[in-house]
Structure formats: C-alpha cells, structure tokens
Amino acid sequence: MKHTISALVQNQAGVLSHVAGMFSARGYNIDSLVVGRTDDPRFSRMTIVVVGDNDVLEQVRKQLAKIVPVVKIFDYTNEKLVQRDLMLIKVASTPEQRPEIMAMVEMFSAKVVDIGLKFVTIEVTGPEEKIEAFIEICRPYGIKDVARTGMLALPRHAKA
Amino acid sequence: MTNARKSTKTPSITEKPITGSKVLCDTLLDEGVDTVFGYPGGVVLPIFDELYDSPINFIIPRHEQGGTHMADGYARASGKVGVVLVTSGPGACNTVTGIATAFMDSIPMVIITGQVKTHLIGNDAFQEADTTGITKPITKHNYIVKDPKDLGRTIREAFHLARTGRPGPVLIDLPVDVTTALCQMAPKGEFLLPGYKVRTEGHMRQIVKAAEAINAAQRPVIYSGGGVLISEASAELTELVEKSNVPITTTLLGLGAFDENKDLSLEMLGMHGTAYANFAIQECDLLVAIGSRFDDRITGDVKRFAPNAKIIHIDIDPSSISKNVKVDIPVVGDAKKILVELNKLIEFRERKEWLARIAELKEKFPLTYDNEGEGIKPQYVIEEIWRQTKGQALVTTGVGQHQMWAAQFYKFSKPRHFISSGGLGTMGFGVPACMGAQIACPDATVINIDGDSSFSMSLLEIPTAVEHNLPVKICVLNNGYMGMVRQWQELFYGHRYSKSYMKQPCFAKVAEAFGAVGITVSKKSEVADAVKRMLAEDKCCVVDFQVEREENVWPMVATGKGLHEMAGLPTNTSERV
Ligand SMILES: Cc1ncc(C[n+]2csc(CCOP(=O)(O)OP(=O)(O)O)c2C)c(N)n1
Ligand SMILES: [Mg+2]
C-alpha cells in the first residue's frame, strides 16, 4: 500500500542524503520523494510516497523523526489530500497529428509548452492517475521523453 | 560575528574573536572534557598547536580505531562523552569501526575529524574523504562546518546530541581553514535544533497501565538492557525488582544493572543466556522490557519469542518500540524517571508458584561446565578471576566465545562494570576499551578478558598502556582458534574448520617487548597463582592462558530456534544441538 508522508526539514547540507540513505539502509521502498523550499527559507518540505504496510509506515515515521534536522512529520494516510504531480512529456507528432493532440491537451487541461517539427512538449499537472492516463493516450504516437516531479501533497483542510 | 545571542549566563565567554582551533579547545574544556583520544595529521595541525598549551589530557593511540574504542571504553565506564580528534582522509576512515561500534550500543561520543580546505572539498584533494557521507549511517548526527560562524554552536550541539536522549556518536568535520579563521565561542545551551525533541517523562497513563499489569501478573519477568545503565537507573531497577518480587534477566549490555548474585536474578538471556532465563521468558505471562531493544541475539525466533506474554516496553527511543516485537504497553521516556514513578505504584506479591518454578529451573539447568579434565577450562579462568577480584573488577572483552564466558561466569553486581561490544560485535575492542575505562576509573581493577584473535587485532595498543602507566590486566583465553567461528563450523558445517585458525606468536614475549609484563600459563595448577600475580602487578600485564582448544559455549540457541530450544543443557549434554 502507498502512504504519503510529508516532512518539514531544516534547510541544510546533507538532509536529503540523510533521509534517502535512511530509506535505503532500512530497506524501505520509496515511490517518490520531492524536496523544495517552503515560504520560510530555513525549511524545506519533503513529500515522500512510501510503499508498505502500516507497521512499515509506523517505523518510517519514527525513523524519520530520529533524523536530527527533520523538524516535523505529517502522515497523510487517512486524510483527504490535494495531490499534484507535474509532468513534461515530449510526444512524437507530425504537423497533421497536431489537431488530435491539441484535443487531448484540451481534455486534460494540459498545456503545450514547446512545438518542433517532429515533437510537441506538453505540461500536465494533476493527481497521479491523471498523469498516468495521459501517458497512456500518448503512447500510440510515440513518447520521446518524460520528466515528472513526483507527488506533492497537502491536506485539504487545515486541522484545527 | 553578528549573531544575536539570547543566552546570557556564560560570563567566561570572551567576545574577542579567536581562532577556530581555540574555540574548539576552549569549548571542550567548558563541556567538561578532561581527556581526548586522537592522532595528528596535516589538516589538524592548527588544532594540535592549540592543544600544545591546553590542560587537556591527550592520549595518542597507535591506530585511530584504537583511539575511538578507547574513547568508547572511557564513555562506558564513566558515563561521560568520549572525545576523539583525528586528521582527514585516512585518520577519519580509521575511526569508522569505532564509531559504528559506539553507535550500535548508544554510546555518547564526539568525533572531530579534520578536513581539507573548504574550497578544495570535492576535488579529490590530498587526504580528502567524504567523511560526513561515510559516517552518516553510523552517527546519531554529523556536521561539516563550512562557515566559521557556525563552529561554536555546532560543538555545543554535538555534545548535547551525544549525551541526551538515546545517546550516540556525533561527528564534526572541520575544514582546516575554519580552524584558522576567526570565530567565537558559543554560550552553553545555544542550539539550533528545532527538530530534536527528547521525551524523558513517561506518559502517566501508560505508567499506570504498566503498574497494573505488573501487579496483576502471575508469571512476570523483567528483561533489562543497556538503556538502564545509560540512564543510571540501577537503583530504581533494583527497587522495582525487589518491590514487585519479579525475577529479572538482562542483556549482554545490561549486565550489572541488577546484582547477579541475588536470588531474583536470572542473569543473561538470549543466544548464550542461561537456560533459566530463556525458559522463564518463554513461560512468562508478562514481559517488562526496560532499555532493551529485542535484538535477534536476544529473541531467537522472534515469532515464538515469549509466546504467552503481554509486553511492556520502556524505552527512550520511540523507534525501538514495536520494531521487532509487537508491544502492548509502550512507555516512551527516560528509564530512571519512569521507574521512579512506576515504583510508587508497585505492590509486593508473593508469586509463590512462579518463583518456585524459577527455583526449579535454576536447580535443573544450572550454568555449569565440566572442570574435571587436565586442561585449563576458559570458564574456570574467569571464575578464578571473579573469585580473586571479589566480583568488583571492571571487565572488558573482545568478541567471541571468551566474551560469552565472561558474561556468563563473571557475576556482575554493579553498573558500568561490564564493557563489551554488543550490537556490532567488534573484535579488537577489548584492549583499547580497557585502557579507556582505566583512564576513566584510575583506581579500579580493570581486566580485559580477550580471545587470541581479538587480542591480535589490537595488541598494538599495549605500548599506549605502557606509556601512560595504565595498569590494565589483559587475560587472553588462548584457544588458538577463532573459537566462536570454530564452534559454528563444528556444529553447523560438519567440523570443517575452514580458515578459523592462525598461528599466534608468544604473547608474553610480545608484551615484554612492548614494556608490559608477560605471563604464560599452560597448566591448570598455575591459573590461580597467575591471576594473583597479575592482580598484584601495577603495570600493564598480559597473561596468556592456554586453554582447552575446542571448548564450546553452552547453552546455545541456534539461529532460527526458539529461546526454549537450547542445545547443550546440563541434562542432555550427550545429544548437543
Ligand atoms: C572485526 C571482526 N571480524 C570478524 C568477526 C567475526 N567473528 C566473531 S567471533 C570471531 C572469532 C573470535 O576469536 P577469538 O578472539 O580468538 O575469540 P574466541 O571465540 O576464540 O574466544 C570472529 C572471527 C568479528 N566479530 N569482528
Ligand atoms: Mg580464540
């Protein structure tokens, strides 16, 4: 099962490698890990999707908490979340195929961000399933490259 | 230099900028450090120059690994933070085994490593190693200080992290230009650790639940570990045992927290624990784990560990709880504080049946060995040492059979008197660890019970003991084998003793060449006198006891077996394993 955990960490050298190293040393499976600065430059937020049962999740949480620069941990497992993944996907397209592709882009509320003679590059954001679905419909045209951020998440309602 | 400081009460701190090296040395003194173990090299010369005028007692080992184990032994014996200072690259790399050893056993240490100049980092400079990268998984935390502004605070934080919560080694990597730059000492207590929270007070509701469970249990057992010693909670533990009338077994690292000579003591449990401890665990209806972590050497087959027991687990590290064994009543916090509260709620119970059962187990399956033959039994040597030291010596060990026999046959009655590498099982630990312990406790009788192969890994530190007049006694239980390896090969690999033998030199002569006293004992009748002579020596003394070569450690719970499935019990010695 997939769990989403978010960790607020001190923005200092080595935190990412510490967290990533802990996961590999203890044999936990990371599905994705995203890091970015928050509005406060002293802290970054890591959004981690882990695969495992509840016992694994429990240990992951405790082991994360033990890492000194990890300030706070949020476990979003039983919460309603806003989840977003951003993808840039480069799809093969002849000029004749462009209208079809534009229609797909429209349907997914995606955006064409670059057009070449043989390829278009499209930006899609959304929850994971939407991204996966978009990849599938692009497949028949030929996918040249995909870059994804991995999942970001925040809870829908701030806890009182 | 513009750091606004909130804390005010450290009058000794000069506002005058001084070099990083001086900040380091002054902060060490201010943190109460009296001894540093270390070794010089290029990038730490500015620090060593500062040490030239410092009152700190500096011990130079023959190898940085030895220095790290010395600091570890010092920390285990004294409860203080062990401090190590080494150069970059090879110096830092040589400390790795020592750091990992301390990390596994939660020993407070601060390791300071030199590093190349900040602008050279990452360029494969001479003697550069990614020290923080290498040591991240084996330290509680580590730092590289690149900005002189951070130096003072970082040292304060390192000591704070090392000694609070679940203690552990903390490493600071110091580029040489930071040690020569001007900076300032930070006041005590100046930390920037928003993510470091230690819960020391146990949750009262959990403590009440634990007390109720103990009061209600028919067949309870206490299983305590190194955490009790770290927390200095022996007295509180003893009170719990006696007030509740519950038998207690300890882990290897927990030996001495409760007097092993007392009736309620079951001594050590686990792979080479006593039969009565292991059976008691399997039969108990309540297991009270205190400062222990359900290591696989303790539990045997974890699925069949204490199958009928409800489990209480008192530990300062939340991640230890329900990691290996599902716990019913967790109490997170400092063992001492929790025990103080718990003891108030404990009621005395007769437990007639249970204690009768324990007595029966002790009677039926005593910890014994056959001492009838001609040869010197290693267990006999240890018993003799125990007798002559009246159980009061501080004992260190290497790793192997001798370590288990020391744990089994030396009866410990005081905390911090048994010093051994438990979690990592580091051969070569004994010699340097006993020296660190002797430095911490100058008046104690410090005895290292070692194996011939373990001893060979660190005998190069004997000159350090001689140089510093450390009267440590090193007893090598010389079976001419890597005995523990040989035992496994005998039992599980059809007696095929593959590469578990090495030709050893005459240890007594080696000792003499190093300036220590060397004694060889090859007859049983000489053992008692040799121990006597060794104890009378006032300088480092090595005794080579040529013990029976193929003696095995019993009882034994083989890997994958349940704790009750012990081989080598007194009643079935004919069908061992
Ligand atoms: C550094 C290190 N290398 C290897 C081992 C594996 N090992 C465990 S016990 C042992 C043999 C120890 O032999 P010795 O010191 O002579 O002790 P004995 O078992 O004979 O008492 C070995 C090789 C270890 N624990 N540590
Ligand atoms: Mg041996």
Side-chain angles (χ1 to χ4, degrees):
Chain A
M1 190 184 156
K2 283 188 188 176
H3 302 274
T4 309
I5 296 180
S6 146
L8 199 67
V9 302
Q10 274 178 288
N11 205 353
Q12 53 181 234
V15 190
L16 175 61
S17 82
H18 204 156
V19 170
M22 184 280 284
F23 274 86
S24 76
R26 295 198 178 262
Y28 305 136
N29 269 321
I30 307 186
D31 201 64
S32 75
L33 192 164
V34 187
V35 203
R37 263 203 307 273
T38 62
D39 58 318
D40 184 337
R42 291 172 305 165
F43 302 108
S44 290
R45 180 181 289 276
M46 290 190 182
T47 311
I48 307 160
V49 180
V50 263
V51 188
D53 58 23
N54 284 330
D55 289 350
V56 169
L57 179 74
E58 177 80 14
Q59 265 303 308
V60 168
R61 251 201 346 237
K62 289 173 174 174
Q63 293 298 344
L64 268 176
K66 240 163 102 165
I67 296 174
V68 172
V70 172
V71 179
K72 214 168 167 182
I73 294 157
F74 310 85
D75 174 4
Y76 293 148
T77 305
N78 295 317
E79 287 197 50
K80 288 211 167 67
L81 292 182
V82 184
Q83 301 185 337
R84 287 293 178 271
D85 196 335
L86 184 147
M87 168 172 71
L88 294 175
I89 182 167
K90 202 174 205 178
V91 184
S93 145
T94 58
E96 300 75 57
Q97 286 172 318
R98 272 184 209 155
E100 273 173 51
I101 290 185
M102 290 311 290
M104 284 158 39
V105 166
E106 186 107 334
M107 246 172 71
F108 277 78
S109 315
K111 219 159 70 189
V112 173
V113 287
D114 189 29
I115 294 192
L117 273 181
K118 294 183 181 149
F119 296 98
V120 288
T121 304
I122 301 158
E123 173 192 318
V124 199
T125 52
E128 213 166 19
E129 312 83 72
K130 176 176 162 186
I131 306 274
E132 304 285 340
F134 195 79
I135 292 175
E136 287 315 310
I137 62 163
C138 289
R139 227 182 262 293
Y141 299 90
I143 297 171
K144 175 96 192 323
D145 261 322
V146 164
R148 288 171 67 168
T149 55
M151 218 238 295
L152 296 169
L154 281 178
R156 274 193 188 276
H157 306 286
K159 276 191 200 151
Chain B
M1 258 46 25
T2 51
N3 265 9
R5 303 242 154 85
K6 277 188 205 127
S7 177
T8 48
K9 50 167 196 215
T10 25
S12 66
I13 288 163
T14 52
E15 287 301 315
K16 185 171 98 251
I18 47 180
T19 65
S21 300
K22 180 132 177 68
V23 166
L24 174 64
C25 293
D26 288 357
T27 311
L28 290 181
L29 283 174
D30 202 47
E31 289 289 334
V33 175
D34 52 29
T35 307
V36 172
F37 303 86
Y39 211 97
V43 295
V44 283
L45 286 177
I47 304 175
F48 276 77
D49 191 57
E50 197 60 50
L51 283 167
Y52 196 71
D53 303 315
S54 167
I56 288 175
N57 178 26
F58 201 92
I59 308 285
I60 306 162
R62 270 41 180 179
H63 187 294
E64 288 92 344
Q65 179 184 348
T68 320
H69 291 322
M70 286 174 201
D72 181 324
Y74 172 92
R76 291 186 205 228
S78 66
K80 299 207 289 190
V81 178
V83 182
V84 178
L85 167 63
V86 296
T87 193
S88 64
C93 288
N94 275 349
T95 64
V96 166
T97 308
I99 297 174
T101 303
F103 182 64
M104 285 294 267
D105 292 347
S106 310
I107 305 306
M109 298 219 295
V110 169
I111 304 96
I112 298 144
T113 54
Q115 184 54 280
V116 301
K117 286 184 182 155
T118 36
H119 75 269
L120 291 176
I121 291 174
N123 289 338
D124 301 323
F126 177 63
Q127 296 197 324
E128 180 187 357
D130 176 10
T131 304
T132 49
I134 292 169
T135 58
K136 199 146 272 175
I138 52 167
T139 48
K140 181 168 172 182
H141 189 47
N142 69 18
Y143 295 92
I144 176 161
V145 181
K146 290 185 176 167
D147 185 341
K149 264 207 326 283
D150 298 332
L151 178 65
R153 194 199 71 239
T154 302
I155 306 167
R156 296 295 192 185
E157 286 183 5
F159 275 89
H160 178 64
L161 291 171
R163 63 180 154 221
T164 56
R166 178 175 177 175
V170 178
L171 181 141
I172 309 173
D173 203 23
L174 283 185
V176 56
D177 48 326
V178 172
T179 68
T180 54
L182 292 182
C183 40
Q184 273 181 357
M185 202 165 149
K188 257 197 180 124
E190 184 181 280
F191 310 134
L192 199 70
L193 296 166
Y196 184 68
K197 294 160 209 108
V198 177
R199 186 187 174 109
T200 57
E201 310 287 339
H203 201 297
M204 210 49 214
R205 208 177 55 221
Q206 295 300 95
I207 294 175
V208 170
K209 271 197 210 164
E212 285 168 358
I214 295 170
N215 290 339
Q218 300 295 311
R219 299 185 309 280
V221 172
I222 295 168
Y223 137 57
S224 81
V228 172
L229 300 177
I230 292 170
S231 159
E232 307 281 0
S234 287
E236 291 74 13
L237 177 75
T238 304
E239 188 187 336
L240 171 68
V241 173
E242 291 178 343
K243 206 167 169 192
S244 64
N245 203 24
V246 173
I248 173 172
T249 174
T250 81
T251 66
L252 183 77
L253 292 187
L255 288 173
F258 183 81
D259 184 348
E260 291 195 284
N261 303 295
K262 292 189 174 169
D263 276 351
L264 282 169
S265 173
L266 302 169
E267 299 151 63
M268 185 172 75
L269 81 164
M271 180 174 269
H272 292 298
T274 63
Y276 31 97
N278 288 343
F279 281 128
I281 294 277
Q282 295 305 77
E283 293 177 20
C284 73
D285 66 352
L286 178 75
L287 186 64
V288 188
I290 311 174
S292 47
R293 58 186 178 87
F294 299 87
D295 177 273
D296 53 275
R297 285 291 190 265
I298 290 300
T299 60
D301 178 11
V302 72
K303 290 194 292 299
R304 290 183 290 157
F305 174 73
N308 309 311
K310 193 173 196 176
I311 297 180
I312 299 173
H313 190 183
I314 299 173
D315 206 288
I316 194 141
D317 179 2
S319 75
S320 280
I321 297 206
S322 292
K323 181 173 66 181
N324 302 333
V325 167
K326 194 98 191 119
V327 170
D328 301 288
I329 307 176
V331 194
V332 175
D334 174 55
K336 190 185 186 100
K337 292 195 170 173
I338 292 170
L339 289 178
V340 166
E341 294 306 318
L342 184 66
N343 285 341
K344 293 180 191 160
L345 307 171
I346 292 296
E347 292 158 14
F348 183 84
R349 295 280 184 272
E350 291 275 353
R351 307 189 197 283
K352 265 212 187 97
E353 246 175 74
W354 180 226
L355 293 182
R357 171 65 182 152
I358 298 281
E360 180 191 9
L361 287 169
K362 284 190 176 185
E363 169 86 34
K364 218 162 145 188
F365 307 109
L367 190 63
T368 57
Y369 62 98
D370 173 8
N371 199 20
E372 296 305 308
E374 292 263 290
I376 305 176
K377 282 291 172 87
Q379 300 95 322
Y380 164 64
V381 176
I382 291 166
E383 281 190 331
E384 191 54 39
I385 296 170
W386 173 65
R387 261 193 296 275
Q388 292 198 28
T389 55
K390 303 187 173 63
Q392 302 299 304
L394 217 151
V395 175
T396 66
T397 75
V399 170
Q401 293 182 311
H402 64 279
Q403 175 190 31
M404 293 301 122
W405 286 317
Q408 291 177 332
F409 290 95
Y410 199 102
K411 306 296 176 202
F412 292 92
S413 57
K414 288 189 185 149
R416 299 194 183 279
H417 274 55
F418 181 67
I419 292 178
S420 189
S421 166
L424 201 67
T426 307
M427 285 172 69
F429 177 78
V431 173
C434 79
M435 295 167 47
Q438 186 79 74
I439 291 166
C441 308
D443 300 327
T445 301
V446 179
I447 300 180
N448 173 39
I449 294 176
D450 222 333
D452 49 300
S453 309
S454 294
F455 177 62
S456 299
M457 282 199 183
S458 50
L459 56 79
L460 78 169
E461 297 298 352
I462 293 173
T464 319
V466 172
E467 180 182 337
H468 292 278
N469 298 314
L470 301 174
V472 289
K473 332 279 179 215
I474 298 171
C475 301
V476 184
L477 301 184
N478 185 355
N479 51 14
Y481 276 115
M482 298 175 196
M484 189 56 94
V485 172
R486 188 209 54 73
Q487 176 169 347
W488 283 52
Q489 289 171 333
E490 175 190 330
L491 302 176
F492 311 121
Y493 295 89
H495 287 79
R496 287 158 54 86
Y497 297 165
S498 177
K499 330 295 179 208
S500 51
Y501 160 83
M502 64 177 97
K503 185 158 170 41
Q504 304 289 15
C506 171
F507 289 138
K509 279 192 186 158
V510 170
E512 278 166 13
F514 280 154
V517 176
I519 303 171
T520 306
V521 183
S522 52
K523 288 203 205 81
K524 193 170 167 181
S525 56
E526 300 166 352
V527 169
D529 276 351
V531 171
K532 198 165 159 199
R533 201 183 134 199
M534 165 188 96
L535 291 173
E537 282 298 343
D538 59 0
K539 62 179 188 170
C540 176
C541 177
V542 175
V543 191
D544 178 355
F545 292 98
Q546 308 199 325
V547 297
E548 281 206 359
R549 302 201 55 204
E550 301 199 13
E551 182 69 11
N552 285 335
V553 183
W554 304 114
M556 176 177 191
V557 180
T559 335
K561 299 272 188 191
L563 273 193
H564 54 289
E565 298 169 313
M566 280 164 282
L569 295 183
T571 46
N572 63 352
T573 33
S574 51
E575 31 150 342
R576 284 179 163 163
V577 174

